[in-house]
């Protein structure tokens, strides 16, 4: 076993979330790397406040936030015009979303609906053969109440909605689906599922062997399973864009747009893409960073199904379905200094607000779709004019 | 056309990247939402420095950074023990990666290899029928030099490596693959591809109609195409973990781990998951935020293929292939105050450093895999002991 | 509207399933194409017997059948040694499956289990927006009994097991899952689902508009949805192969085989393959043709998940899960002359036999896997010997 | 090792492809199973003729063939009106395809184009680490000529078109792409690739270890890789259907059809389907059985991308792209009695005909799409009339 040549990162026993501990680590980093941390050391949050959010805290990343909006939203939880903070370092992102927000607001706003929401943990149980595994599945069905009680004993919030079951060889994958209120809930459901599994192990007559994750949760990664059965919230943003409005504001016509949509759909099938839209990840990520979400959940959350229709009058019905938007307004990074302020700015801090936040994010995503697509098409349109111009 | 009821976000003509403009927007936000932005207004970066990174700048998100390491890396660009800054608000993430780094360092370190790298833009060309589209494809092959010259005229950095071609109906999708040095390169290749397309339009005898993106770039979203042909860098991290070391440090045995791997592989097939590993997105996201990457690229970058072998002596060979890791050490958010410091801390700031950064990220990802998997399995192991204990 | 220049295929009103009608069409074909149909006209089946199986009957394809076996099967419905008829024109297929059957029989046979089974039809309902669609979903849940009664009124056999619901934009996809006894059931469930949809249309207060298929049935094509939720029967075949037996009979060792399995798993992830095994389609197709199945269902049925483990003693546990094996022993082509004989040969003709047939097919598939994989590896082994030989 | 209790299927040394050997096996089957094989024993083909097509021959499956058409095709190889033999036992299949053929012929026919074609074998090479594997990839690039010569030395027909390379961990997957003339070519390319691999093994300075298939060929199974890079022939069928014609002949309007297409596209994304069309597998399978193709290739061949546009005048442009249509007019089962007759009936027997056959199959598939979709939609239309009728 090789010992590291360089020293471990210093920790201060019993006082590791203090400014002095943070400073000790910065000093350590300076010594080890020669880098002055003049920016990273500049923050307003109290190191004590990051306990539970991070270990070995030694500074912050300052990620610029731009303000976009207003965006008119007609959700069941978010209603009215919103200003949306977007944290990013990618130039034009805020401008582009802003442009889309102007368009959608001019069109009467975005309707947004949360259609369902679950957080999962999915253990796999090992058996001698497929038949035993199948019988175990029946046993689980017959013992739902006991399993639910065990799972729900671990939290006041997590409620077991249902258990999916999948059979592969001698394995039985159980996918526990919980509602978790305003928390994203990954830890909550991990604990609850563990309790459920232990209850099963104890109660099952033959004993069982399991692994707490069999890879189909599917956590921190996209899967078709997530697209089908939702991870986090399944949110749908919709708008009908009058042909005249988009022509006036974006310089594109809806017929061309709809024709292009057919190519994008075919392209998504061809590429095996998990999103037949443009760039949902941009808006989601910028809002996730700004509002203290678990940003790694962009992996799951960026999947989308765009469904549009060109209406007889030339107006364009546009919807985007985000099947796995994972948001929290409670727990995680939501209470950190800047993140909390951004949630408050959206009226989304604390309990009872997660659906509202989900609606705002989905509406923002739709704004970004309209803006980028328009830019792509207007480029074509502009260059067509160029070419036609040159011909003269 | 509906006019917004709320005012637009204020801008200051010709001086929008000033502190006063930022403050004006904060004041505006306060008025509109009643939220004091005491934290968000607290930053050390100069608003002038965010030009090109954001619009409507009005503050920063302070994302806590923890320091993990040292991690022993054997790359072709990163060699030695590294301390790794991880920006996150998810508790235990830093601790867990740190634990994996200790393990891998004790095992002699992580070997990392960048095997290829490209950035893409993929226009779709529209024809009357499939035959015309096919002929166009042949025309493109025959005019590679002209196309390359047009594309490369737009930048000193972007080099056209090759063009993939795909036929669907009367469409021809061209996927332009560029190398882009130390920049992520999305904008660079967009501009270069646009120039190439305009050249084609001008030179092609029959004229052609195209849309700059046909949805198979695939930008800001996962696709199987990315996994096959790499978007950004294809990076592979490998380590061989002695059975004894992991047992001593993590309390798990490699046989159980390898058995579990078979279930995870089956689970990934079952779920249609884009990653048969554990949680690559966590490490990637934390490093992306810390180092000024385009964090939305977690969408593409989180895909992975884990390939392992249990050796005859019980040692565990573990590899993870990240087919689409998109990184930059130049351009984008890399020069921002804290982000630059974190790049410097890694010795990765500026030109000639992107491969090194890619290696560090992939090595970090592998550390996270070993740690989480061990925790999952040791949980099982612990509980087995519990049960056995209760039986006495 | 263009009229065809060539005449339509002749039909005989009220007597189209007669030998004279068949002969008239052959005569017609001869006139039109100059081809003598001396083989195609040679059949023993009565043209009257193909009514309901085909239109414009004018002859038969004679597909050679070879007999493989015996194969020892331990199913819940198939128990004992079976001879398996395989209809194919691909040389070595029968020999290879036969070889695998010898191996598996020598290993004590194949355990096979049908773990679940459903046939689906999946209409899509159109609404004005996602909210209406969601409410409709709740309405469907609340009216399950009425829906079931309507659906089940159309057949004595089809029983509605459950309805999956999926939300995309303003659409609600319902996926009706039926059990259909010994019939494959596509038509049966189409009719039942149509009745259910019409009932819904009549009963729903606001009226609804739907299309009987929204593309997620998914019929005659593979989908991840099928792999997850089974279409037809989900059947799992398992065997444990002693290291010595496979070495003696196939010249391969289980360690090499298990190492190769890791590469095949990675390859399946890489390629986006729907089957991480070798060639399930071969055995399934040959049995489908021989026994009068709807052979186009190879599209769905060929998907598979291979899950294996190398045991401590070197024995090889091998399972293959066929998530969407669509079989019938009643209806469709099962009563045709040769097809019925092949079903009888397997003891699978008629009612109460579909599970048995599914077990035999899955066991056959596993035999084919062992044989082909061994050949691939022994090739390597042989050539290694070649090389080693040359070195002397 | 367990010995089978039942005897092996009898073989006749040196004369196994004789009628007496076939009869001996039938007698054996009768004894073992009690089934009279009065139909299966009825065939016109000479048992001697099935050598190379099957082992243990003991009879034939008589699969009914119906004649559909005429279908007007505008291919580069198939031009004019064709009668198409469809072998199936699924009632309505022939009638439905026939109906679609009438429609498309009335619309001026189907344009079909073969855009590319390859057959693959894909070995995986094992190395100590990813870096060695990468270097090996460069070595392969540098030794293309030697590799090609070795590969092409095994056959007069197979030509090595290009080699795809994919990196995963310490593995290098090479995917050899050959053109194989009028043969499907799986065996041919297997042999050629083996020769290439052996050449590599001999020439590579460090020696290499490989497995002839690493699972990404991908043979006898669908993969996204096949959809991207074609396996067999990539064939595109197109037609423009006047609004009036389809209304008159099918009772559906193109606007409704195009609206439905949007739902089918979304459904395919949702389900993770490999085909966003209706039922390509039906026509492909029926033609494959009739013409002596390797029917198991339905697995690969049934994938499709439908791309349509509604034109300003209401006409409907409809295309279907079959990325992996595997056909042969030479070798395999193409020379068997009935199969050869059906190929002759299509003018597709023998050398130089495979492209023509591919065109006919793709045109047939499109006919089936139009027919089934119309039926689905007209059902909706009919039932609407029903309901409206009842209301009076």
């Amino acid at each position: 076993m090789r010992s590291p040549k360089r020293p471990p990162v210093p920790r201060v026993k019993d006082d590791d979330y203090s400014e002095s501990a943070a400073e000790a680590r910065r000093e350590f980093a300076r010594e080890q790397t020669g880098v002055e941390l003049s920016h990273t050391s500049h923050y307003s949050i109290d190191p004590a406040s990051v306990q539970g959010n991070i270990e070995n805290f030694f500074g912050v990343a300052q990620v610029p936030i731009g303000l976009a909006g207003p965006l008119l939203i007609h959700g069941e939880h978010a209603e009215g015009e919103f200003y949306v903070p977007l944290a990013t370092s990618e130039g034009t992102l805020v401008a582009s979303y802003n442009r889309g927000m102007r368009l959608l607001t001019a069109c009467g706003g975005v309707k947004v609906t949360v259609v369902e929401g679950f957080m999962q943990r999915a253990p796999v149980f090992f058996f001698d053969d497929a038949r035993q595994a199948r019988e175990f599945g029946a046993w689980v069905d017959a013992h739902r109440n006991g399993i639910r009680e065990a799972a729900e004993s671990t939290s006041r919030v997590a409620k077991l909605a249902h258990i999916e079951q999948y059979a592969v060889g001698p394995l039985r994958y159980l996918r526990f689906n919980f509602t978790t209120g305003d928390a994203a809930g990954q830890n909550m459901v991990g604990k609850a599922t563990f309790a459920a599994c232990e209850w099963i192990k104890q109660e099952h007559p033959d004993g069982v062997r399991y692994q707490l994750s069999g890879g189909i949760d599917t956590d921190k990664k996209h899967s078709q399973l997530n697209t089908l059965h939702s991870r986090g919230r399944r949110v749908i943003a919709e708008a009908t864009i009058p042909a005249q409005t988009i022509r006036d504001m974006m310089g594109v016509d809806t017929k061309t747009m709809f024709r292009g949509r057919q190519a994008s759909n075919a392209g998504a099938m061809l590429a095996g893409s998990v999103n037949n839209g443009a760039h949902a990840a941009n808006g989601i990520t910028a809002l996730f960073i700004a509002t203290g979400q678990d940003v790694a959940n962009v992996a799951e959350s960026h999947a989308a199904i765009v469904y549009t229709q060109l209406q007889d009058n030339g107006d364009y019905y546009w919807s985007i379905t985000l099947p796995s938007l994972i948001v929290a307004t409670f727990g995680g990074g939501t209470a950190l200094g800047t993140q909390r302020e951004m949630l408050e700015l959206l009226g989304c801090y604390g309990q009872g607000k997660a659906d509202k936040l989900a609606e705002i994010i989905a509406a923002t995503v739709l704004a970004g779709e309209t803006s980028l697509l328009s830019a792509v098409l207007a480029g074509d349109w502009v260059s067509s004019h160029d070419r036609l111009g040159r011909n003269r």
Side-chain angles (χ1 to χ4, degrees), chain A:
Chain A
M1 212 186 291
R2 181 190 178 283
S3 292
K5 300 212 170 93
R6 302 180 80 175
V9 177
R11 295 190 194 163
V12 181
K13 220 168 201 174
D14 301 328
D15 193 29
D16 207 42
Y17 289 94
S18 60
E19 182 55 23
S20 62
E23 176 53 29
R25 279 186 284 266
R26 287 195 293 274
E27 183 53 35
F28 173 81
R30 271 179 220 115
E31 281 166 18
Q32 294 292 328
T33 68
V35 179
E36 281 304 313
L37 301 173
S38 49
H39 290 289
T40 308
S41 61
H42 189 91
Y43 45 79
S44 60
I45 55 172
D46 181 349
S49 75
V50 300
Q51 186 155 9
N53 289 117
I54 197 157
E55 300 79 40
N56 290 2
F57 172 77
F58 80 129
V60 306
Q62 295 177 28
V63 183
I65 315 183
L67 193 62
L71 169 62
L72 179 57
I73 301 177
H74 304 301
E76 294 172 301
H77 307 274
E79 174 62 49
E81 294 182 357
F82 289 82
Y83 297 98
V84 179
L86 297 165
T88 185
S89 56
E90 296 306 307
T92 79
L93 189 150
V94 174
S96 176
Y97 275 84
N98 204 32
R99 194 171 79 116
M101 290 175 183
R102 268 203 311 276
L103 174 70
L104 292 181
T105 299
C107 296
V110 187
K111 190 179 285 183
V112 204
T113 308
V114 176
V115 294
E116 64 181 17
F118 307 109
M119 182 48 61
Q120 294 92 359
R121 181 52 62 190
V124 57
F125 288 77
F126 296 83
F127 297 93
D128 288 345
D129 61 29
R131 230 167 276 170
Q132 270 188 21
R134 184 190 63 191
E135 297 319 311
F136 172 69
W139 187 93
V140 167
D141 280 343
H143 291 77
R144 275 184 202 168
N145 290 340
I147 293 169
R148 173 177 294 110
E149 274 169 38
E152 297 185 354
S153 71
T154 58
S155 149
R156 281 171 309 114
V157 177
K159 299 294 166 202
L160 181 60
H162 61 279
I163 303 173
E164 300 162 61
Q165 296 205 24
Y166 299 99
V168 175
L171 310 174
R172 195 83 180 177
Y173 295 82
L174 301 187
R175 197 163 178 256
F176 286 75
N177 286 259
F178 294 88
T179 56
T180 60
D182 295 289
Q186 287 101 329
N187 294 338
M188 198 187 289
V189 309
K191 198 172 158 191
T193 304
F194 179 68
C197 291
E198 290 296 303
W199 185 90
I200 289 170
K201 209 159 98 173
Q202 201 165 13
E203 296 297 322
H204 192 275
D206 307 325
V208 290
R209 196 166 68 80
Y210 75 95
Q211 186 173 304
L212 192 54
S213 170
I216 70 156
D217 308 272
T218 37
D219 185 34
K220 299 288 160 63
K221 45 197 166 270
H222 169 78
S223 72
Q224 194 72 37
L225 180 49
N226 286 353
T227 291
L228 284 163
H229 291 307
S230 311
R231 180 168 170 85
R233 278 164 172 83
R234 191 177 199 91
V235 197
I236 300 171
E238 308 168 272
T240 297
I241 302 175
Q244 194 59 44
T245 309
I246 198 166
R247 185 187 312 267
D248 291 349
M249 295 183 70
M250 305 301 220
V252 296
D253 74 286
T254 53
K255 262 192 198 169
T256 304
M257 190 161 256
F258 198 48
R259 258 187 233 124
R261 166 91 337 248
Q262 309 308 314
S264 298
N265 285 345
M269 282 287 296
L270 172 68
S273 177
V274 310
N275 180 332
N276 62 339
H279 65 141
N282 273 333
I284 291 170
T285 305
L287 265 159
F288 273 20
I289 297 176
T291 61
Q293 307 302 310
D294 184 349
V295 187
N297 288 135
V298 168
E300 293 113 312
S301 300
H302 85 281
I305 302 177
V306 170
Y307 168 83
T308 69
Q309 291 285 5
L310 186 65
Q311 299 184 342
D312 286 350
N313 63 359
D315 291 357
Y316 198 77
Y317 168 84
W318 199 325
S319 76
I320 189 163
T321 300
L322 303 176
S324 298
L325 184 64
I326 302 177
V327 298
T329 56
F330 188 79
T334 59
L336 291 170
T338 58
Q339 289 82 339
R340 174 175 176 161
E341 285 176 1
M342 293 303 102
L343 284 171
E344 287 172 342
L345 190 147
L346 293 166
C348 286
Y349 181 68
Q351 302 203 352
K353 299 296 186 187
D355 284 328
K356 185 179 181 186
L357 179 61
E359 290 176 347
I360 293 170
I361 295 176
T364 299
V365 164
L366 186 58
E369 296 292 295
T370 62
S371 180
L372 180 51
L373 260 294
S374 297
V376 167
L377 292 175
D380 181 43
W381 175 83
V382 164
S383 58
S384 301
H385 279 246
D386 270 349
R387 181 172 59 82
L388 291 174
R390 274 198 302 279
N391 288 346
R392 275 176 227 134

